[in-house]
């Protein structure tokens, strides 16, 4: 646990008693704060009683008398489309609002750090797609060489629930726009921006607000090194803002779409090969085509970002390459779950938006595509240019018929539920084809998370294949 500093003897309010909220309560108490809390869920009283927490309805005008700070869980709106009543009440009362990420950064580095030979580092990863894989890959490479590393944030443990790092330890944080938008303190040693595509637009009042939330990690965080994906205009702009000169190697530009040139520090993947350039000269090259845990150009971008990070930490290219080959990938992200009769079954349930589904479609050939779900803003138009390898689409979700109608030029079948889609795709697939779950939509019309959707896909594949499947 990371005890929260700066609130000893003061009262702090916590809004939301999920995983991050409960970890925040415990870390605040460990640091000497008094805690009151509120959660709109039906189990709030039960959770509070089990933890010995005083429940206080924080939307009341008098709720913030004597309160030093309100700490809110990341999923609770604080500005758009409208602030939660408790957050509005705190702002009216002049009470600062923060989240667990802000508390982590204000508290990290306390205690016995003066006795450490090598201060621990924090690597923070944000962006629209690839955050989890990039974060996990960084942690995997560091584990491979025996470094003390912890994975936290949106993946792994809650940020305040981790152990105080050892000498030379590294904490790798995956951070969403919800987390970077509100945190009052952001001070990573290395910060990563993977890419940007439209997502969570209602929460940020548009694409500009969404990018601004991501940008805070760099503009206000002031990292020693910044690893920036420059395949979108926003990343290119951010890299330009952070650099003081073309040769400024505090900014490492990465790409999976083109060869990068210039005098700076560059890492790019082209035709399956990762290349590192510094001061206009090639430093190393890695063949990514045989790295089974990182299929497709989108994963090659993740590999470039992770490679750049661990290079800043001092690892050699050949060591990184060896670690890449032992990376198994993450569940629900281009995850090969079975093969039978020459047909491969891939679970990319995490492809919850058009851009991530587009990358999945680019990664495989001859695809039986299972898609559909709760559609996001913008429609499916941007996806249609990447459906050339789709043999047929099997559409699920409560609005499957409408989803299918948008897939112009693609043979479709409205299946509605996962069991039907998997059965039909498996029955029609031929050797050399891939049955790919890449929904291009959120899961909440039928499932409570993309993980549950991916698990259902895997279960239906197992049911259809029986004993034929090979892992």
């Amino acid at each position: 646990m990371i005890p929260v500093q700066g609130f000893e003897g003061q009262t702090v309010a916590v809004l939301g008693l999920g995983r991050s909220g409960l970890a925040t309560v415990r870390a605040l108490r460990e640091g000497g704060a008094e805690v009151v809390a509120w959660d709109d869920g039906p189990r709030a009283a039960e959770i509070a009683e089990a933890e010995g927490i005083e429940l206080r309805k924080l939307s009341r005008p008098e709720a913030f008398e004597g309160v030093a700070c309100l700490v809110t869980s990341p999923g609770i709106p604080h500005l758009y489309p409208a602030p939660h009543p408790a957050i509005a009440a705190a702002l009216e009362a002049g009470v600062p609002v923060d989240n667990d990420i802000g508390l982590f950064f204000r508290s990290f580095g306390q205690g016995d750090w003066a006795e450490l030979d090598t201060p621990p580092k924090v690597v923070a990863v944000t962006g629209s797609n690839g955050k989890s894989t990039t974060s996990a890959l960084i942690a995997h490479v560091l584990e491979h060489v025996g470094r003390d590393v912890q994975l936290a944030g949106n993946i792994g443990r809650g940020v305040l629930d981790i152990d105080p790092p050892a000498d030379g330890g590294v904490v790798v944080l995956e951070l969403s726009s919800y987390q970077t938008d509100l945190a009052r303190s952001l001070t990573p040693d290395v910060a990563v921006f993977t890419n940007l595509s439209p997502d969570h637009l209602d929460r940020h009042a548009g694409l500009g607000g969404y990018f601004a939330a991501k940008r805070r990690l760099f503009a206000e965080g002031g990292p020693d090194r910044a690893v920036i994906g420059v395949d979108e205009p926003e990343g290119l702009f951010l890299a330009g803002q952070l650099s003081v000169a073309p040769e400024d190697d505090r900014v490492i530009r990465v790409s999976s779409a083109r060869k990068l040139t210039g005098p700076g520090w560059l890492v790019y993947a082209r035709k399956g090969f990762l290349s590192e350039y510094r001061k206009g000269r090639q430093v190393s090259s890695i063949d990514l085509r045989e790295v089974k845990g990182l299929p497709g150009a989108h994963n090659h971008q993740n590999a470039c970002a992770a490679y750049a990070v661990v290079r800043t930490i001092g690892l050699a290219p050949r060591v990184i390459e060896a670690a890449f080959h032992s990376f198994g990938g993450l569940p629900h992200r281009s995850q090969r779950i079975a093969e039978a009769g020459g047909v491969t079954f891939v679970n990319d349930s995490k492809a919850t938006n058009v851009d991530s589904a587009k990358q999945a479609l680019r990664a495989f050939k001859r695809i039986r595509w299972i898609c559909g779900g709760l559609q996001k803003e913008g429609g499916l138009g941007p996806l249609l240019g990447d459906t050339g390898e789709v043999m047929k689409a099997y559409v699920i979700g409560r609005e499957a018929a409408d989803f299918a109608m948008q897939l112009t030029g693609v043979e479709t079948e409205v299946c509605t539920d996962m069991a039907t889609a998997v059965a039909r795709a498996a029955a029609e697939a031929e050797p050399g084809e891939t049955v790919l779950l890449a929904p291009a939509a959120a899961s909440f019309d039928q499932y409570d998370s993309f993980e549950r959707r991916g698990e259902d896909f895997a279960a239906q594949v197992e049911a259809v294949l029986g004993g034929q499947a090979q892992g």
Side-chain angles (χ1 to χ4, degrees), residues 156-293:
R157 301 164 70 180
V159 291
L160 294 172
D161 196 36
I162 67 171
D163 301 320
D167 198 315
V170 180
V171 177
V172 183
L173 303 180
E174 180 198 337
L175 300 182
S176 72
S177 59
Y178 293 0
Q179 294 166 310
T180 58
D181 195 19
L182 190 60
R184 296 176 67 86
S185 179
L186 287 166
T187 53
D189 296 282
V190 183
V192 181
F193 178 87
T194 59
N195 49 57
L196 195 83
S197 62
D199 209 355
H200 310 304
L201 300 187
D202 59 335
R203 178 68 179 265
H204 298 291
L207 186 61
Y210 178 50
F211 175 54
K214 302 284 190 187
R215 181 180 173 276
R216 289 191 75 243
L217 182 64
F218 303 85
E220 300 187 28
D224 296 331
R225 298 277 190 185
V227 177
I228 310 293
V230 295
D231 288 338
E232 292 83 31
E234 293 85 359
L236 199 60
F237 174 79
L238 181 59
Q241 280 203 312
L242 296 174
S243 301
V244 297
E247 62 274 11
D248 185 356
D249 68 359
R250 296 173 304 167
V251 177
I252 307 174
R253 292 166 171 81
V254 304
S255 172
S256 63
R258 57 196 170 93
K259 178 179 180 179
L260 300 178
T261 59
W265 195 345
L266 312 169
V267 180
Y268 65 87
R270 192 163 179 259
K271 296 182 179 180
F273 286 85
L274 180 154
S275 297
E276 177 189 5
Y277 278 76
R278 298 187 73 172
K279 299 179 180 178
R281 303 182 67 177
Q282 186 169 8
V283 175
S284 67
S285 177
I286 296 175
D287 185 351
L288 298 173
R289 294 172 300 176
E290 299 302 318
V291 180
K292 293 183 178 180

Side-chain angles (χ1 to χ4, degrees), residues 336-339 469-471:
R336 296 167 65 102
I337 60 171
E339 184 175 341
Q470 299 176 353

